[in-house]
């Protein structure tokens, strides 16, 4: 971990490439520093052609900077001159270099060469590089604006949220939620991440006492395994991370022939793994801002027991519907609370949760005051969900003021959660925002956020459920790049199953028959009924070419099936010389079919996946991913996210899936890919969980290796 204190709160700052031309990035950066920042020490503007900018003196060159005094330099020179400028800063003892300059790695090969120079300079001199291709750094809480944005000086609403991005525009979008009362303590933008990256920033913010919640906008991962570790540490420390994951990464697409690669492409793998490590994943900027603002009020680490209160019966019912659809039960009112409400409400109102105060409250605001007083005394309630369907000007504002008294006068941690669904933002909305309460735009977003908060609390609870010796959800080190694996080699099912068997994974009794003349002896030994499958490395998915015949019960039918399978292979363009033979296996008894897969991901290292198997795998796409082999608690939580969970948990008398057996299979598979010389992917589809005794058996298997790891090396 790198101490970033001197980056966020530098004692002295240098701006390399300061400009006196209004409207230029170098000018905006200079103004942000000299007019708007509270730097403890000196600010040095470096410009060889000017003696001053906006009345602040300049020095001519980097070598004029005092030795070992400048903590952070903002380097704003051309892409071609950047590496030289950073090296010269390093020789003057500068600790950090912020590089807003674009046109490097994102611009092509020449830019990537320059970025490699920056990495080498960082390693040689120890200077840490922030960027390039970023808007800079904004530390609102300490008043430090090392930014090229002309609007940075308007970022004045500090708070307990730490914002981390890679790009600039979406980060600026989030920062402008300050206008609605969202307090953001700092904004760190990693840019192209030639050195410092997302994980460095998370690790720093975990130790920052002023930051309670972290918001991330993620375009890709420099080191996915490290990010997961950092995210887990943040969650353990009680600092929830809310992330919007953009779809640029191809982290799931490893082996073109695998089912799981198709289903895990782009963001699906990242979403699963982030959630496994305590990260709340959202879909858009509005949800990011609403969720992180809610979490920053401390509502992610305490259970919600909500009562819905409105002056609209329809709005109140809609809010309760949204809550219950997300699995959140409204609180039950105590008898004494009901009695107090009956005395305060109009005769035609119902003292229940949801609580409709009726439009009468617009004429008699004392109804709202009495209701809040009654609810505040109810120990079974700690949250008022207040949906506002329309703005009525001063009347709505007064209603909001009365609702906020619930927080002002609550003895413990009572909170108001507001939903302002009206397109007209009136004075009541402004009152909420001035109190640091960002109203939700819809009941659905409110309920989803409360559900995400509950999910974060369950995740923290699961941390204590990990069994001794389990991975506990810790990501495995990603020590193998996809390039080092070589071109993929597909193993036949028979070869793959031999490898699985020696590692303790059960497979059906069977044998590979290479000649038709040996078929009679083979089926006699295996025992009818049998499954017969064509075996060729050119046919990894045999069902697509009619390469599987099930339920064969007679020798005559087996002989006919032999000819049919070979003819199907020829029709698919596979000649007899490329066919290893026919795999003959005893038919398995009925059960539940799953897909279980472990693969070496170039971004996150070894990952595992489990979902609905058999022929419906790609159709349904009902699958969840884990970092390495999941802990028992994480496995159960992941399975419960599947749409098929009701079936897996014992629907209508079916045998529930044995989670311990699945965990054992995953641990056996993970050993096959976690070594540096391991395989690229091991997929069992289907893995049948037998109804008879709950045991598991691999009915089909696909193994992908690199060329340096031919099948024979693991099948002996």
């Amino acid at each position: 971990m790198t101490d970033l204190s001197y980056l966020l709160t530098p004692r002295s700052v240098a701006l390399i490439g300061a400009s006196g031309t209004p409207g230029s990035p170098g000018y905006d950066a200079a103004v942000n520093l000299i007019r708007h920042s509270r730097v403890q020490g000196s600010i040095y503007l470096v410009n060889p052609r000017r003696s001053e900018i906006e009345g602040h003196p300049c020095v001519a060159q980097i070598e004029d900077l005092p030795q070992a005094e400048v903590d952070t330099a903002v380097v704003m020179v051309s892409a071609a001159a950047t590496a030289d400028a950073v090296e010269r800063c390093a020789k003057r003892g500068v600790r950090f270099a912020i590089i807003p300059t674009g046109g490097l790695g994102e611009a092509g090969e020449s830019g990537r060469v320059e970025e490699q120079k920056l990495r080498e300079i960082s390693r040689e001199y120890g200077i840490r590089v922030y960027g390039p291709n970023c808007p800079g750094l904004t530390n609102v809480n300490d008043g430090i604006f090392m930014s090229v944005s002309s609007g940075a000086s308007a970022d004045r609403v500090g708070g307990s949220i730490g914002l981390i991005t890679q790009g600039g525009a979406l980060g600026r979008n989030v920062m402008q939620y300050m206008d609605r009362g969202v307090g953001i303590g700092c904004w760190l933008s990693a840019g192209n991440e030639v050195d410092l990256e997302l994980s460095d920033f998370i690790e720093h913010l975990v130790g920052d006492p002023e930051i309670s919640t972290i918001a991330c906008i993620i375009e890709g991962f420099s080191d996915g395994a490290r990010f997961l570790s950092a995210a887990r540490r943040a969650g353990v420390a009680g600092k929830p991370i809310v992330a919007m994951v953009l779809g640029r990464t191809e982290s799931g697409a490893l082996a073109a022939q695998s089912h799981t690669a198709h289903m895990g492409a782009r963001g699906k793998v990242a979403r699963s793994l982030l959630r496994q490590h305590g990260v709340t994943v959202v879909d858009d900027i509005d949800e990011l801002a609403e969720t992180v603002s809610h979490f920053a009020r401390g509502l992610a680490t305490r259970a919600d027991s909500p009562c819905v209160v409105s002056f609209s019966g329809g709005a109140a019912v809609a809010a309760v519907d949204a809550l219950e659809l997300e699995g959140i039960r409204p609180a039950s009112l105590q008898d004494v609370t009901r009695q107090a409400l009956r005395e305060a409400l109009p005769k035609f109102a119902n003292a229940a949760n949801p609580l409709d105060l009726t439009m009468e409250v617009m004429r008699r605001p004392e109804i709202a005051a009495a209701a809040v007083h009654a609810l505040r005394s109810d120990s079974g309630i700690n949250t008022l969900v207040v949906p506002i369907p329309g703005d009525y000007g001063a009347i709505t504002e007064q209603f909001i003021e009365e609702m906020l008294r619930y927080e002002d006068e609550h003895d413990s941690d009572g909170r108001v959660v507001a939903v302002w669904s009206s397109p007209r933002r009136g004075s009541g909305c402004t009152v909420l925002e001035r109190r640091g309460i960002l109203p939700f735009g819809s009941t659905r977003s409110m309920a989803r956020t409360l559900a995400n908060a509950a999910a974060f609390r369950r995740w923290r609870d699961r941390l204590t459920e990990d069994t001794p010796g389990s991975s506990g959800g810790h990501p495995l080190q990603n020590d193998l790049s996809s390039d080092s694996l070589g071109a993929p080699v597909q193993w036949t099912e028979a070869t793959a199953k031999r490898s699985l068997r020696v590692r303790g994974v059960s497979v059906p009794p069977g044998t590979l028959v290479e000649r038709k003349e040996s078929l009679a002896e083979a089926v006699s030994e295996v025992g009818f009924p049998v499954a017969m499958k064509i075996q060729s490395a050119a046919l990894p998915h045999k069902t697509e070419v009619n390469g599987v015949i099930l339920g064969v019960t007679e020798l005559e039918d087996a002989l006919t099936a032999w000819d049919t399978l070979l003819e199907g292979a020829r029709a698919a363009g596979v000649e007899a010389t490329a066919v290893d033979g026919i795999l003959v296996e005893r038919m398995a008894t009925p059960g539940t079919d799953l897909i279980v897969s472990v693969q070496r991901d170039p971004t996150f290292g070894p990952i595992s996946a489990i979902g609905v198997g058999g022929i419906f795998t790609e159709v349904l796409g009902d699958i969840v991913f884990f970092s390495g082999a999941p802990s028992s608690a994480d496995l159960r939580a992941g399975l419960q996210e599947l749409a098929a969970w009701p079936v897996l948990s014992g629907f209508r008398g079916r045998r529930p899936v044995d989670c311990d057996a699945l965990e054992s299979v995953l641990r056996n598979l993970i050993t096959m890919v976690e070594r540096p010389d391991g395989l690229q992917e091991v997929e069992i589809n289907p893995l049948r969980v037998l109804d008879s005794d709950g045991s598991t058996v691999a009915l089909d298997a696909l193994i992908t290796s690199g060329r340096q790891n031919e099948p024979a090396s693991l099948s002996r």
Side-chain angles (χ1 to χ4, degrees), residues 397-432:
E397 179 180 350
Q398 185 174 9
F399 176 78
I400 291 293
E401 294 280 10
E402 293 295 341
M403 292 297 106
L404 289 175
R405 294 186 191 280
Y406 182 80
E407 287 194 3
D408 296 337
E409 301 174 10
H410 203 281
D411 293 335
S412 55
D413 60 344
R415 292 289 185 271
V416 171
V417 175
V419 180
W420 191 282
S421 53
S422 172
R424 181 174 297 163
R425 289 180 61 204
S427 57
C429 187
T430 302
V431 168
L432 288 166

Side-chain angles (χ1 to χ4, degrees), residues 45 51 89 123 150 155 184 229 240 273 276 278 282 284 380 433 450 472 497 513 522 533 586 600 654:
L45 305 183
S51 60
C89 286
R123 285 194 293 267
S150 58
D155 300 336
I184 301 174
S229 293
L273 300 190
Q276 182 195 357
V282 298
D284 55 44
E433 292 169 354
L450 266 61
K497 283 182 171 176
V513 183
K533 309 176 186 180
R586 186 183 304 162
R600 170 69 70 167
R654 293 177 63 94

